[in-house]
Amino acid sequence: MGRDGQLPLFETKAAKGRLLFGLYAVSTFVGTCLICVYRLTHLPEEGEVGRWPWIGLFLSELWYILYWVVILSVRWSPIYRNTFKDRLTQRYEKVLPGIDIFVCTANPIIEPPTMVINTVLSVMAYDYHGSCLTFYALLEASQFSKLWLPFCKKFKVEPRCPEAYFSSTLKPHHDDPLMAKEWSSIKKLYEDMRNRIEAVMYMGQITEEIRKQHEVFGEWNLASEPQNHQTILQILIDGRDGKAVDVERQPLPTLVYLSCEKRPKYHHNFKAGAMNALIRVSSRISNGEIILNVDCEMYSNNSESVRDALCFFMDEETGHEIAYVQFPQCFNNITKNDLYANSLNVCMEVELAGFDSNGGPSYIGTGCFHRRETLCGKKYGEECEREQTTRNNNERIEENASVLEEIGKVLASCSYEDYTQWEKEMGLKYGCPVEDTLTGLSIQCRGWKSIYFTPERKAFLGVAPTTLLQSLIQHKRWSEGDFQIFLSSYCPFTYRHKMIPLKLQISYCLFLLLAPNCLPTLYYVAIPSLCLLKGISLFPKISSLWILPFAYVMSSSCAYSLGEFIWCGGTLLGWWNDQRMWVFKRTTSYFFGFSETVLKQLGFSRSSFAVTSKVADEEESKRFEQEVMEFGWETNPKIFFDVKL
């Protein structure tokens, strides 16, 4: 029972099977202790051949044991949440807070406008009341939304991304001839819109006819190049305007396009800079109390996600403590056996649930609902006890659209953040390839809590890398950024000391210490093999009893890993692919991430932000679907391997 005798809006349940996990952990710990005893009691004498390789291997094993303890702390007692949306509706339907949704995109070539508008349309259709090419796509989407939104609500369409819906629904599910007629009509309109956008993309420019229809295209005439242009802001749909309605005369949500100012003398700070500009601009246009941010390819797959998130924010007992609600990052193009281990199922199903138990999940950059005031730097305190009425819904913004556009252009200018607290105490942090993790940590260190929620129907679906190179580049950026945090003043063990519990500080090391894992792994895969060529053995003989702890630790770890992987929805071959990618990542991505971080600390390198492509050519897609592993650089001849278990 919650506060004032009301039933809570969500419940928390502990994971099952903890006894078996405890037995595995204790027995494996005993095995690792025996391995340490063996290493110490059989250490070659000084001057004896193989002494230094032996010491190096022992140090590698000590690192593995330390990192394994971190893994145990995360997996020890994961928790899972369940929401009660019916209770939310009964109590707060008339006073639900406004939601601002940010869809970030960087490049219309590797993040096609058709993908962007599908994501935009999917979040516009919730069950809740850059470039000129991308802008044109949004113009088309704003017109199509007048038909698509009522269609979704009328027939309870899921998912509400047009491309995903029509790809998975080849014909209407309903026998109603009216529905079949509307379905065919909407599908044709969507395909026509997609063809128009793709035709413009193929030409690479907007036709004069379209430019004459919309004066705002003149803004790009003033933009000399992608990295040197003024702020371009357009309110495509003004939700306050009584004329902004769909075909059934229902009000449409506000839709805004923003391309932040970029100048050669100013660093635009990648996604973090864009997010901060969006926070400021949206505060003048809509000022929603809750902010959802999604990547441009992460379309909404569950129209109830907003209400799920609000169950946490508006819970009478603990809602006022919550800064953000993180949903899993899931993908719609994962092959049956997950060739490149991109699904991250174990991370999303187990590890982040363990974070939640230890104090709250990290912010992973997409599929996250934020309380606006926490992104604006507010610290948690007793005054944060949430009032029953929502503050922002009562604040009506009176300026007309043209005035708001001019104000917004100033807020998104390059120089606006000069001599302010933006990036320092307000907004997302800069200077790190994983600004999301750093921002989430700083919010938690201001006293706020976070929630991890995995609904039965996946909330968001995106596009995973389709080549080995793309996957390794992505993991290189993640590991590099995480290790930078560990070595910086934001290290969870020192930053605002004791503001987050020790178990959460340790949990963060699961990600922050990914890059250093390259060193013991490279040592382990190279040195024992080289020693064998010289007849030096670094492991006990098969006939020795000392082989037992080595064999047990290896077999128990593999058995646990396999069981966990299959429990998370994987396959046997998928687990094998995951183990293979584990080696690839530790010997390449993590090594380069580690090296880049060290060079940056020494002043020889600067942070960069690599955006992985969300599109693939026909041949590449075919090989990916057939689970043929692809090696090579895009501009060079490629090598293909079809590896089977």
Side-chain angles (χ1 to χ4, degrees):
M1 192 71 70
R3 183 176 297 180
D4 300 327
Q6 291 182 314
L7 294 172
L9 296 180
F10 70 92
E11 64 178 359
T12 303
K13 294 182 178 180
K16 298 178 180 179
R18 293 299 91 191
L19 178 60
L20 289 175
F21 179 79
L23 292 174
Y24 152 75
V26 171
S27 60
T28 303
F29 178 74
V30 172
T32 57
C33 289
L34 291 174
I35 290 174
C36 290
V37 171
Y38 171 76
R39 290 294 179 201
L40 292 172
T41 57
H42 291 74
L43 177 67
E45 297 292 334
E46 190 170 348
E48 188 176 344
V49 176
R51 177 180 173 85
W52 287 110
W54 186 283
I55 293 174
L57 202 64
F58 182 39
L59 292 176
S60 297
E61 289 165 349
L62 287 178
W63 173 266
Y64 284 139
I65 293 170
L66 176 65
Y67 194 73
W68 181 71
V69 171
V70 173
I71 293 173
L72 278 188
S73 70
V74 174
R75 284 170 159 78
W76 192 258
S77 58
I79 57 175
Y80 299 94
R81 316 278 188 173
N82 183 46
T83 60
F84 302 105
K85 293 185 286 292
D86 55 331
R87 299 175 187 173
L88 176 75
T89 301
Q90 290 172 7
R91 294 178 208 166
Y92 300 114
E93 184 64 30
K94 295 182 179 180
V95 292
L96 291 174
I99 310 289
D100 286 346
I101 302 174
F102 300 166
V103 180
C104 297
T105 181
N107 187 312
I109 305 302
I110 62 178
E111 296 173 336
T114 50
M115 178 185 291
V116 178
I117 61 113
N118 270 281
T119 299
V120 170
L121 287 167
S122 72
V123 295
M124 285 180 72
Y126 270 132
D127 266 347
Y128 200 75
H129 114 62
S131 76
C132 65
L133 301 178
T134 305
F135 177 75
Y136 167 68
L138 284 177
L139 274 176
E140 290 280 4
S142 68
Q143 296 302 313
F144 180 69
S145 67
K146 297 177 182 180
L147 300 163
W148 177 246
L149 271 61
F151 175 77
C152 290
K153 295 173 181 177
K154 184 176 181 179
F155 298 107
K156 294 181 170 42
V157 166
E158 292 287 0
R160 298 193 173 182
C161 165
E163 185 69 31
Y165 174 70
F166 290 121
S167 297
S168 61
T169 311
L170 300 180
K171 60 181 182 179
H173 291 315
H174 294 255
D175 295 328
D176 183 0
L178 179 61
M179 194 279 182
K181 182 179 179 181
E182 284 197 46
W183 185 92
S184 300
S185 175
I186 292 291
K187 182 179 181 182
K188 185 178 185 307
L189 288 169
Y190 169 69
E191 290 174 345
D192 290 344
M193 177 187 69
R194 183 182 62 190
N195 291 337
R196 289 195 298 272
I197 294 171
E198 290 177 349
V200 168
M201 280 296 297
Y202 180 78
M203 291 188 296
Q205 61 182 2
I206 307 298
T207 64
E208 281 301 317
E209 181 182 356
I210 297 174
R211 287 180 179 272
K212 290 177 181 178
Q213 293 174 5
H214 303 283
E215 293 182 1
V216 72
F217 281 113
E219 295 275 2
W220 275 274
N221 295 333
L222 302 174
S224 57
E225 56 188 46
Q227 300 302 319
N228 185 16
H229 63 79
Q230 76 284 6
T231 300
I232 301 172
L233 174 64
Q234 180 75 25
I235 299 178
L236 301 172
I237 301 176
D238 188 351
R240 304 168 305 162
D241 187 347
K243 297 179 181 179
V245 295
D246 60 30
V247 292
E248 295 189 354
R249 310 302 298 172
Q250 295 299 311
L252 288 167
T254 298
L255 177 62
V256 180
Y257 174 86
L258 171 65
S259 179
C260 300
E261 181 184 21
K262 291 183 181 178
R263 300 299 180 192
K265 294 183 179 180
Y266 288 88
H267 198 301
H268 58 80
N269 295 304
F270 309 113
K271 179 181 174 181
M275 282 284 292
N276 285 345
L278 284 167
I279 293 170
R280 295 193 296 271
V281 172
S282 66
S283 69
R284 291 308 310 267
I285 294 176
S286 49
N287 203 28
E289 186 177 345
I290 306 297
I291 292 173
L292 162 65
N293 86 280
V294 291
D295 289 340
C296 67
E297 85 283 3
M298 276 281 171
Y299 69 82
S300 170
N301 187 59
N302 184 347
S303 61
E304 293 287 320
S305 300
V306 173
R307 292 179 179 271
D308 282 322
L310 290 180
C311 284
F312 299 105
F313 287 117
M314 304 191 74
D315 182 73
E316 293 80 7
E317 188 68 27
T318 61
H320 60 278
E321 303 173 345
I322 297 169
Y324 60 86
V325 179
Q326 179 66 65
F327 284 74
Q329 187 172 9
C330 304
F331 306 97
N332 65 353
N333 65 330
I334 299 297
T335 57
K336 178 183 177 182
N337 297 305
D338 194 7
L339 180 63
Y340 298 121
N342 285 323
S343 67
L344 306 176
N345 278 348
V346 173
C347 175
M348 296 298 157
E349 293 289 337
V350 180
E351 292 176 352
L352 285 179
F355 264 72
D356 200 3
S357 174
N358 290 346
S362 59
Y363 167 38
I364 62 176
T366 185
C368 189
F369 290 84
H370 296 268
R371 193 184 296 276
R372 178 183 287 273
E373 59 189 4
T374 63
L375 285 177
C376 292
K378 184 172 183 177
K379 296 180 180 180
Y380 178 77
E382 292 183 3
E383 72 279 2
C384 294
E385 289 278 349
R386 189 188 57 78
E387 299 177 358
Q388 291 299 323
T389 57
T390 51
R391 189 167 49 253
N392 289 331
N393 275 7
N394 297 328
E395 298 176 4
R396 182 170 178 82
I397 298 169
E398 299 296 338
E399 293 98 336
N400 62 39
S402 60
V403 172
L404 291 175
E405 287 172 357
E406 293 305 313
I407 295 173
K409 289 177 182 179
V410 175
L411 296 174
S413 65
C414 290
S415 59
Y416 183 83
E417 294 182 357
D418 292 349
Y419 311 109
T420 70
Q421 289 301 306
W422 283 97
E423 187 274 326
K424 302 176 184 69
E425 296 295 331
M426 301 172 66
L428 276 70
K429 302 293 183 181
Y430 298 157
C432 179
V434 287
E435 71 290 322
D436 39 25
T437 302
L438 182 56
T439 300
L441 174 61
S442 66
I443 290 173
Q444 290 172 327
C445 287
R446 291 201 298 268
W448 294 94
K449 294 182 179 179
S450 57
I451 293 287
Y452 185 64
F453 182 59
T454 53
E456 187 174 343
R457 180 183 178 88
K458 294 177 179 178
F460 304 96
L461 290 175
V463 179
T466 57
T467 67
L468 178 62
L469 178 63
Q470 291 174 8
S471 183
L472 294 178
I473 289 174
Q474 187 176 66
H475 282 278
K476 182 259 183 185
R477 178 172 69 84
W478 290 345
S479 62
E480 177 187 350
D482 286 333
F483 193 42
Q484 283 182 20
I485 295 174
F486 186 79
L487 297 180
S488 72
S489 59
Y490 291 99
C491 177
F493 292 107
T494 58
Y495 180 60
R496 293 185 175 174
H497 188 51
K498 294 185 179 181
M499 288 301 294
I500 59 175
L502 177 62
K503 56 184 180 180
L504 184 57
Q505 296 172 6
I506 296 173
S507 297
Y508 265 101
C509 292
L510 181 70
F511 301 139
L512 304 191
L513 295 179
L514 281 174
N517 274 315
C518 69
L519 300 180
T521 303
L522 285 168
Y523 192 95
Y524 225 91
V525 300
I527 300 303
S529 301
L530 294 174
C531 286
L532 279 177
L533 294 176
K534 292 184 173 291
I536 302 171
S537 176
L538 300 178
F539 296 94
K541 296 180 179 179
I542 296 295
S543 57
S544 171
L545 288 177
W546 282 110
I547 196 67
L548 293 179
F550 286 90
Y552 178 76
V553 169
M554 183 182 71
S555 58
S556 65
S557 297
C558 287
Y560 169 75
S561 173
L562 175 60
E564 183 180 63
F565 191 87
I566 291 176
W567 179 79
C568 291
T571 63
L572 177 61
L573 184 54
W575 174 78
W576 179 256
N577 288 333
D578 186 72
Q579 299 301 300
R580 180 170 55 179
M581 285 298 298
W582 182 91
V583 177
F584 287 171
K585 288 183 291 188
R586 289 191 175 209
T587 54
T588 57
S589 300
Y590 297 172
F591 175 72
F592 287 112
F594 179 84
S595 303
E596 284 280 341
T597 302
V598 172
L599 290 173
K600 183 177 183 295
Q601 293 294 316
L602 297 175
F604 296 116
S605 178
R606 293 190 304 174
S607 293
S608 60
F609 192 94
V611 181
T612 52
S613 178
K614 308 301 187 299
V615 292
D617 59 46
E618 187 175 344
E619 288 298 315
E620 191 178 276
S621 297
K622 185 177 180 181
R623 289 190 292 270
F624 178 69
E625 291 167 2
Q626 294 173 344
E627 299 192 332
V628 176
M629 184 165 282
E630 181 169 322
F631 297 83
W633 190 262
E634 278 84 346
T635 57
N636 294 333
K638 297 184 175 71
I639 304 172
F640 311 106
F641 287 92
D642 188 3
V643 185
K644 300 297 182 184
L645 183 62

